[in-house]
């Protein structure tokens, strides 16, 4: 579904991604694990068209998406839930969700998708007319994910969905991630909570200082002493 080959991305003179390659198959949950500043968010922004790589290849469903504007990439079926939620605080929950569907014209289908979002996140239906900025952190994360789903993505990019949430809410968010995946949406997940990320993933890539240093199934990564020590709290 998504094939990335030898991507190099710079912020000015800083070489942020140094030849990253990975692939994602339809129906998978693939997770990216790495420390802060390793390049995980940079990779998601590059896929979704917010950053332009200097070289390399990005193909989605056998089509190059290199250099395409972000809205064209959304239209092709890739939605991005950014780190820090980035909801529109002065708008209502309803208006935020409507913005998620702004490229769509199929009103009846949009209505059905509201229902799907409410099934996943009943709290959003309760808060329908409330200003988004007054929601709790967990509710804002739900809104950010719901807004992305309103674009009806085939591939969902999730950047740090558990950041700043209480442990109970983290479990809820990860259960919902699995539910979204079970309805047919492929997911690329960036997550600092490596244990939780590996518990839902089909495959994982470990990024350090802009390079993929390891990849494999969660079972393979769980057996790696290097990964246990660095990311899983093991000795």
């Amino acid at each position: 579904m998504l094939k990335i080959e030898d991507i190099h991305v710079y912020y000015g003179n800083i070489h942020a991604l140094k030849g990253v390659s990975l692939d994602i198959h339809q129906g998978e949950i693939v997770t990216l694990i790495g420390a802060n500043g390793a390049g995980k968010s940079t990779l998601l922004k590059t896929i979704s068209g917010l950053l332009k790589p200097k070289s390399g290849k990005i193909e989605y469903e056998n089509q190059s998406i290199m250099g395409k504007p972000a809205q064209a990439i959304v239209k092709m079926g890739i939605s991005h839930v950014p780190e820090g939620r980035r909801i529109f605080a002065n708008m209502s929950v309803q208006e935020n969700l409507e913005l998620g569907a702004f490229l769509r014209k199929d009103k009846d289908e949009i209505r059905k998708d509201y229902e799907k979002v409410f099934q996943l996140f009943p709290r959003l239906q309760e808060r329908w007319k409330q200003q988004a900025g007054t929601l709790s952190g967990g509710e804002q994360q739900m809104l950010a994910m719901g807004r992305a789903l309103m674009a009806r993505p085939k591939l969902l990019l999730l950047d740090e969905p558990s950041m700043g949430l209480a442990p109970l809410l983290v479990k809820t968010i990860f259960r919902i991630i699995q539910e979204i995946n079970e309805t047919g949406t492929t997911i690329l997940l960036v997550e600092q909570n490596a244990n939780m990320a590996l518990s839902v993933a089909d495959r994982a890539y470990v990024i350090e200082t802009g390079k993929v240093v390891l990849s494999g199934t969660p079972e393979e990564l769980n057996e790696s002493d290097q990964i246990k020590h660095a990311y899983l709290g093991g000795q």
Side-chain angles (χ1 to χ4, degrees), residues 103-173:
L103 289 174
R104 296 174 57 186
K105 303 283 183 280
D106 49 343
K107 284 186 177 162
D108 289 343
E109 293 300 310
I110 288 171
R111 222 169 281 123
K112 285 180 193 170
D113 285 348
Y114 280 132
E115 292 308 317
K116 285 181 190 168
V117 167
F118 294 151
Q119 280 170 8
L120 289 167
F121 307 109
R123 195 68 59 82
L124 295 183
Q125 191 166 15
E126 293 166 22
R127 305 275 192 267
W128 184 236
K129 293 292 181 190
Q130 199 167 313
Q131 247 191 353
T134 65
L135 301 178
S136 70
E139 289 165 349
Q140 289 186 13
Q141 183 61 50
M142 292 171 188
L143 179 56
M145 289 167 71
R147 181 179 62 188
L149 290 172
M150 287 304 298
R152 200 173 267 192
K154 291 184 259 182
L155 174 61
L156 184 63
L157 312 178
L158 285 173
D159 197 350
E160 301 286 6
S162 79
M163 186 181 274
L165 301 185
L168 202 62
L169 259 178
V170 172
K171 282 186 178 170
T172 302
I173 290 292

Side-chain angles (χ1 to χ4, degrees), residues 137-206:
E139 289 165 349
Q140 289 186 13
Q141 183 61 50
M142 292 171 188
L143 179 56
M145 289 167 71
R147 181 179 62 188
L149 290 172
M150 287 304 298
R152 200 173 267 192
K154 291 184 259 182
L155 174 61
L156 184 63
L157 312 178
L158 285 173
D159 197 350
E160 301 286 6
S162 79
M163 186 181 274
L165 301 185
L168 202 62
L169 259 178
V170 172
K171 282 186 178 170
T172 302
I173 290 292
F174 272 88
R175 177 179 52 72
I176 292 166
I177 289 168
Q178 285 179 293
E179 284 178 30
I180 292 167
N181 178 245
E182 282 159 14
T183 63
T185 307
T186 305
I187 292 172
L188 178 57
L189 169 67
V190 159
E191 182 53 62
Q192 284 245 294
N193 187 333
N195 281 306
M196 284 300 287
L198 289 174
S199 75
V200 300
D202 297 295
R203 290 186 302 116
Y205 290 86
V206 180

